[in-house]
Amino acid sequence: MYVKAPVVGVVGHKESGKTTVIESIVQELAKRGYRVATAKHIPQKGFSIDTEGKDTWRHSVAGANPVVSVSDVETAVLIKNGEAKLSLDQSLRFMPEIDVIVLEGFSRLVLDDENAGKILCVRSRDEYNDFREKTRGEIVASCSARPMGKPILRIKEDSQILVGRALRYIRRKRKMSKILSRLPGLNCGKCGHSSCEEMAVAIYRRKAKLNDCITLKLRSKLKTGITINDVEVPIQPFVSEIIRKSILGMVSCLKGVSIKGDEEIHVKILS
């Protein structure tokens, strides 16, 4: 079962305390056994972790992408696609199997992504108001290195509160992701919700149940199954019958084949 890792983005301008906040959150998550990955946005134009003239640089210039360098202490993957070419979701696909992703920076991507939790690090009330106006989705917490009054927490003095809010958000998102992984992902709307994600939220809040999903109810009655690279593809009854009858119609034309018409069809596609 694939469970999408929750993403917490810590955003703010230069010297607003982002790294300090991330250190606190990562330390607590690691202590609790979470596998944590972090990513930091580097605003410097043209920055590269590679060095011109080195072997890995020469590999890239020759056309290799990505380039992997391995030493006795670490492995680095260099992908020649920067922020301008990748969405937040595309960037995170390069992460190994982990439980939580914590981002530093990426303001443009994080603030506009409804699926990422935001921690706002601000230096003034004006910055706080500006970030709130630009934010889509949930703000986990707002904080500052200087006292500003509620609802803005102090980064050091209120560290435990800040970490606690991040943990609650992560636990909730992981539970909802597990529920979502059990739904078919068709967004058919037959359950009364606009999407499977909305349905997952309702189930988490105990306002719906898994068996309210019409597609899951009918799955056992379908006579067609499709898997791509061993992953089941959810299909509706109408589509199931179209595929089944089309394949049976084609196969029935083959020499020596006898088709009754009530057979089951299982399609397996491997890349």
Side-chain angles (χ1 to χ4, degrees):
M1 178 179 65
Y2 171 70
V3 179
K4 189 175 181 179
V7 177
V8 176
V10 181
V11 300
H13 295 297
K14 189 176 181 180
E15 297 183 356
S16 59
K18 298 188 298 295
T19 304
T20 301
V21 170
I22 287 175
E23 284 177 325
S24 299
I25 293 172
V26 171
Q27 284 172 1
E28 186 63 30
L29 288 170
K31 191 194 308 181
R32 291 169 181 260
Y34 286 91
R35 296 168 297 177
V36 188
T38 64
K40 175 177 170 55
H41 176 240
I42 300 173
Q44 180 183 333
K45 295 294 182 183
F47 174 87
S48 174
I49 202 166
D50 208 359
T51 303
E52 185 173 345
K54 293 294 185 181
D55 292 346
T56 50
W57 178 85
R58 291 170 64 186
H59 292 184
S60 293
V61 171
N65 189 21
V67 174
V68 181
S69 64
V70 183
S71 76
D72 62 329
V73 293
E74 66 183 17
T75 299
V77 181
L78 306 175
I79 301 166
K80 294 299 180 180
N81 286 317
E83 179 195 12
K85 295 183 179 180
L86 298 174
S87 67
L88 181 58
D89 191 52
Q90 288 171 326
S91 300
L92 300 182
R93 287 177 189 171
F94 302 120
M95 294 285 189
E97 187 177 342
I98 36 80
D99 300 317
V100 184
I101 300 170
V102 183
L103 307 179
E104 179 174 345
F106 300 95
S107 297
R108 181 182 61 81
L109 298 176
V110 170
L111 294 177
D112 196 48
D113 191 318
E114 292 186 350
N115 294 316
K118 290 88 171 159
I119 295 179
L120 309 180
C121 295
V122 299
R123 300 170 300 183
S124 67
R125 279 279 174 179
D126 287 341
E127 284 186 2
Y128 169 71
N129 293 330
D130 182 54
F131 276 132
R132 283 185 62 85
E133 287 178 9
K134 295 176 180 177
T135 298
R136 296 176 60 200
E138 184 172 349
I139 296 175
V140 176
S142 300
C143 57
S144 177
R146 60 192 71 172
M148 291 189 191
K150 293 182 179 180
I152 303 173
L153 302 171
R154 296 286 300 275
I155 289 176
K156 290 186 177 180
E157 290 80 353
D158 298 322
S159 174
Q160 289 305 306
I161 299 174
L162 196 57
V163 170
R165 290 188 185 180
L167 280 168
R168 285 193 293 275
Y169 173 81
I170 290 163
R171 290 193 191 108
R172 174 163 51 83
K173 292 294 285 188
R174 282 175 58 80
K175 287 178 181 177
M176 285 196 289
S177 289
K178 286 181 180 178
I179 295 169
L180 185 59
S181 71
R182 297 177 66 185
L183 293 171
L186 292 172
N187 299 328
C188 64
K190 291 182 178 179
C191 62
H193 298 278
S194 63
S195 65
C196 287
E197 189 165 349
E198 188 178 290
M199 174 73 159
V201 173
I203 294 172
Y204 173 79
R205 293 175 176 170
R206 299 185 179 180
K207 294 182 178 180
K209 297 178 181 178
L210 266 175
N211 60 14
D212 291 336
C213 174
I214 305 301
T215 302
L216 289 182
K217 276 184 181 179
L218 295 174
R219 178 179 284 173
S220 61
K221 300 178 181 179
L222 299 181
K223 289 190 174 183
T224 307
I226 301 176
T227 60
I228 299 179
N229 294 327
D230 295 324
V231 177
E232 182 184 355
V233 177
I235 52 176
Q236 298 181 31
F238 177 68
V239 176
S240 168
E241 281 303 285
I242 288 178
I243 294 171
R244 191 178 74 87
K245 289 179 179 179
S246 297
I247 292 176
L248 289 177
M250 290 185 286
V251 173
S252 67
C253 298
L254 298 176
K255 187 177 180 180
V257 174
S258 176
I259 296 294
K260 295 179 180 179
D262 60 349
E263 292 87 351
E264 291 187 3
I265 293 292
H266 297 276
V267 181
K268 186 175 184 179
I269 302 172
L270 298 174
S271 60

